[in-house]
Amino acid sequence: MGRKRITPVCFMAAIMLTGMVACSNSPSANKDTEADAKTAAATRVYEHMAGSSEIPVKAERVVTDWYYGQLVALGLKPVGTDDYVLKNHPFIEQAGTESIGQSMEKIIELQPDLIISWGSAKYEDFSKIAPTVPLELSGGPKESVRIFGDILGRETEAEQWITQFDAKVRNARQKVADNISPDETFTIFNIWKNTLRVYGFVNMGGYALYEALEVKPAPKVDELFRNSEEWYREISFEVIPEFAGDHIILTSYDPDGTSTVLKDLEASAVWQSLDAVKNGRVHTIDYNYLYNDDPVAIENQVEILADAIVEGR
């Protein structure tokens, strides 16, 4: 969407209003002037990782290939999103959002006024359809919501979401603190198909567990992931005792039903020797509950993990 040409008569006023206000040479054209001003004020330039885009001041029809939860947190249901996100996000209703698959034609059909993508790989293709903002977010939910509040012209909604998120976190944190010792330690293990992974502070419940609930990571987890960009590490059964805390959050992903890793793990002498196993402090959580790391997912993870910890006492 191009900016409206500004007439010389209004040049200084236009500069004062950052180029967003148009006016008419004719004093009698009030209605046309107002319409023109609204049109000119409908876009702004947004700087991003691939350059800059002229985006709507307040987008209404948004397509995203990943950032579903960020939009929903701000009260904006995307008109289209990636099929995997749509089918596997457990905390958001699908109604009102269509799958875009890998189809540019589908995105065109949805007539978005803004596209928000994960990374810039498809920026050139997406930007031919609508103004596009590529992002690679890795911060916490509050930072994420504020970034999207800025992009979408929903700063007020962003702060409202943060206020209610903080309240939920305080309640869940207190619930956990009332039931465990501050010295008890935690580890997140995930069986991903045929591999075993240990996770840090970012995803697979890491932010909800360590940052929101403020429980203590096992020493080896803290050593490996604190101040690191590494999200997880694949490990062998033999080194599990080095990572295992007093509590274990365990999840698994085996979409084909062919992996034997979980069964082998639970039957192993190494696993059976862990204090968390002996004391009944292995908290098994559905993979899809922990996989997503958007604001809506994390606020649910905070409550799910708090309940699991308390119920496992």
Side-chain angles (χ1 to χ4, degrees):
M1 181 184 298
R3 284 197 179 90
K4 185 175 180 65
R5 181 172 294 175
I6 302 172
T7 62
V9 175
C10 295
F11 182 71
M12 292 306 296
I15 292 177
M16 294 174 64
L17 296 177
T18 65
M20 293 297 186
V21 177
C23 66
S24 169
N25 285 324
S26 172
S28 63
N30 291 336
K31 290 184 178 179
D32 291 339
T33 300
E34 291 174 3
D36 289 346
K38 289 180 180 178
T39 300
T43 63
R44 67 185 178 105
V45 175
Y46 187 85
E47 304 290 336
H48 51 68
M49 63 187 298
S52 63
S53 299
E54 191 166 357
I55 68 172
V57 168
K58 192 164 187 177
E60 298 294 340
R61 295 186 59 81
V62 181
V63 164
T64 180
D65 59 1
W66 182 249
Y67 296 108
Y68 191 5
Q70 282 82 356
L71 300 178
V72 173
L74 296 175
L76 181 64
K77 182 67 75 75
V79 295
T81 196
D82 181 82
D83 190 60
Y84 180 86
V85 177
L86 193 63
K87 291 180 177 178
N88 293 282
H89 200 302
F91 306 116
I92 299 175
E93 294 181 2
Q94 297 180 9
T97 303
E98 295 188 45
S99 171
I100 59 173
Q102 300 298 314
S103 171
M104 294 297 168
E105 290 76 14
K106 182 60 180 181
I107 298 175
I108 294 170
E109 178 187 317
L110 292 171
Q111 298 182 322
D113 54 16
L114 181 66
I115 299 172
I116 303 177
S117 66
W118 169 261
S120 58
K122 295 183 179 179
Y123 174 73
E124 185 174 345
D125 291 334
F126 285 156
S127 61
K128 292 175 183 177
I129 299 172
T132 300
V133 173
L135 297 169
E136 289 184 3
L137 297 185
S138 58
K142 292 193 282 188
E143 177 187 355
S144 176
V145 162
R146 285 196 172 108
I147 289 171
F148 272 77
D150 175 35
I151 294 172
L152 299 168
R154 286 170 166 79
E155 292 88 348
T156 299
E157 291 88 340
E159 295 307 317
Q160 289 172 343
W161 185 88
I162 289 169
T163 297
Q164 63 85 30
F165 174 75
D166 284 342
K168 284 186 177 181
V169 167
R170 283 193 299 270
N171 291 336
R173 187 184 297 157
Q174 188 61 53
K175 180 191 296 186
V176 171
D178 289 342
N179 284 273
I180 71 168
S181 162
D183 293 329
E184 293 180 42
T185 58
F186 288 76
T187 306
I188 301 170
F189 288 125
N190 170 42
I191 295 166
W192 199 84
K193 297 185 178 179
N194 292 309
T195 62
L196 174 64
R197 297 174 173 179
V198 58
Y199 277 77
F201 302 107
V202 180
N203 61 342
M204 201 53 66
Y207 182 94
L209 188 66
Y210 300 123
E211 303 296 334
L213 295 179
E214 294 184 344
V215 299
K216 189 176 181 179
K220 186 70 173 180
V221 172
D222 193 75
E223 175 190 333
L224 184 62
F225 295 105
R226 182 76 68 182
N227 302 319
S228 169
E229 295 183 0
E230 192 173 9
W231 288 9
Y232 66 85
R233 181 169 293 188
E234 293 186 1
I235 62 172
S236 65
F237 284 11
E238 288 73 20
V239 299
I240 288 175
E242 298 178 26
F243 289 92
D246 300 314
H247 295 257
I248 290 173
I249 307 299
L250 179 65
T251 185
S252 64
Y253 177 70
D254 180 25
D256 300 326
T258 57
S259 174
T260 64
V261 175
L262 178 59
K263 184 178 179 180
D264 294 343
L265 175 66
E266 293 179 331
S268 69
V270 170
W271 184 257
Q272 293 298 323
S273 72
L274 301 177
D275 287 342
V277 176
K278 293 177 181 178
N279 295 323
R281 294 177 181 173
V282 176
H283 314 291
T284 302
I285 310 292
D286 185 282
Y287 175 84
N288 281 335
Y289 286 173
L290 298 184
Y291 174 73
N292 295 284
D293 60 359
D294 61 84
V296 170
I298 289 175
E299 70 175 331
N300 280 277
Q301 289 165 11
V302 167
E303 296 183 332
I304 289 169
L305 289 169
D307 289 343
I309 293 166
V310 172
E311 291 168 5
R313 295 304 297 168

